[in-house]
Amino acid sequence: MDRQAKFHRNLFEQTTWQMVNIEQLVADEILTHFYAKANPIALLRNQPNHKHHPAYLFNLLALQSPIICYSFRRHYRYLAGSFTIEKLRDAIAKNELPSDKEIPVFVLNKKPNSELRKQIIQFDLTNNLIDKCFISDTKKISFLLRNWFQKDEGKRSIFQSKE
């Protein structure tokens, strides 16, 4: 069995659920590279600068759109949950959450190899993009996907890619 299949089969045995300070969360370098090429947050419609309702359930947000990370030195590098983190950081900037707020995250027991990290990031980004429909403009969707996935040589589009 290859390493990716083994990782996916044993995913829940390879993670711990723990509380982590939001300030300790840093994007994985692959995610940072993807965002440098095509940042989906920048394509979102601007919303009026309003405060969340006081009863907004940030902990529930962290459960419904979980953050998956691995420990790296004195911080955690996240692979999934970047939209959740953006929402939480926005709330901190608006003083709706304390800057030392801890949230529940899945922490992988060890850092996955770069191919697996890329696969996790691509899944999370496309799941948010397509399944949660946060962007509906087909040109924007196409732009993001072309930048996040490789087009295989000899193929007509990224949709025929092995990725």
Side-chain angles (χ1 to χ4, degrees):
M1 178 182 297
D2 70 1
R3 287 193 297 182
Q4 288 182 344
K6 184 178 178 184
F7 174 83
H8 290 291
R9 188 187 76 227
N10 299 325
L11 179 60
F12 296 112
E13 290 82 30
Q14 299 176 44
T15 59
T16 56
W17 184 247
Q18 64 188 70
M19 300 299 283
V20 170
N21 186 307
I22 296 170
E23 292 181 340
Q24 289 182 286
L25 295 166
V26 177
D28 178 83
E29 64 267 12
I30 295 171
L31 180 60
T32 301
H33 175 74
F34 277 12
Y35 272 29
K37 289 170 68 175
N39 186 340
I41 305 297
L43 297 177
L44 294 175
R45 266 192 254 151
N46 288 339
Q47 297 177 355
N49 192 7
H50 69 282
K51 287 188 167 255
H52 291 99
H53 186 276
Y56 191 86
L57 304 173
F58 290 105
N59 286 335
L60 188 57
L61 172 67
L63 291 173
Q64 290 180 340
S65 297
I67 298 164
I68 301 172
C69 57
Y70 58 91
S71 181
F72 188 80
R73 297 189 178 136
R74 293 185 174 180
H75 60 271
Y76 296 87
R77 291 195 175 175
Y78 60 90
L79 303 168
S82 56
F83 291 94
T84 301
I85 291 171
E86 287 295 323
K87 188 94 153 170
L88 293 167
R89 288 187 176 148
D90 182 59
I92 289 171
K94 293 176 181 174
N95 293 315
E96 297 172 354
L97 283 176
S99 61
D100 62 350
K101 172 75 173 159
E102 290 189 344
I103 55 160
V105 300
F106 284 106
V107 180
L108 298 168
N109 294 343
K110 64 179 188 175
K111 178 182 177 180
N113 66 42
S114 61
E115 185 178 326
L116 192 51
R117 292 189 342 258
K118 182 178 179 182
Q119 182 185 56
I120 293 167
I121 291 166
Q122 286 173 321
F123 178 84
D124 183 59
L125 291 175
T126 55
N127 183 52
N128 278 293
L129 176 66
I130 296 171
D131 290 347
K132 294 183 181 177
C133 299
F134 70 85
I135 294 177
S136 58
D137 183 308
T138 55
K139 287 183 182 180
K140 290 178 182 178
I141 292 170
S142 176
F143 170 77
L144 292 169
L145 293 176
R146 281 193 319 260
N147 281 285
W148 295 339
F149 291 90
Q150 299 260 334
K151 180 180 155 203
D152 293 344
E153 193 171 323
K155 299 294 181 180
R156 292 178 19 177
S157 78
I158 60 164
F159 295 105
Q160 298 169 330
S161 168
K162 291 177 191 171
E163 291 181 330

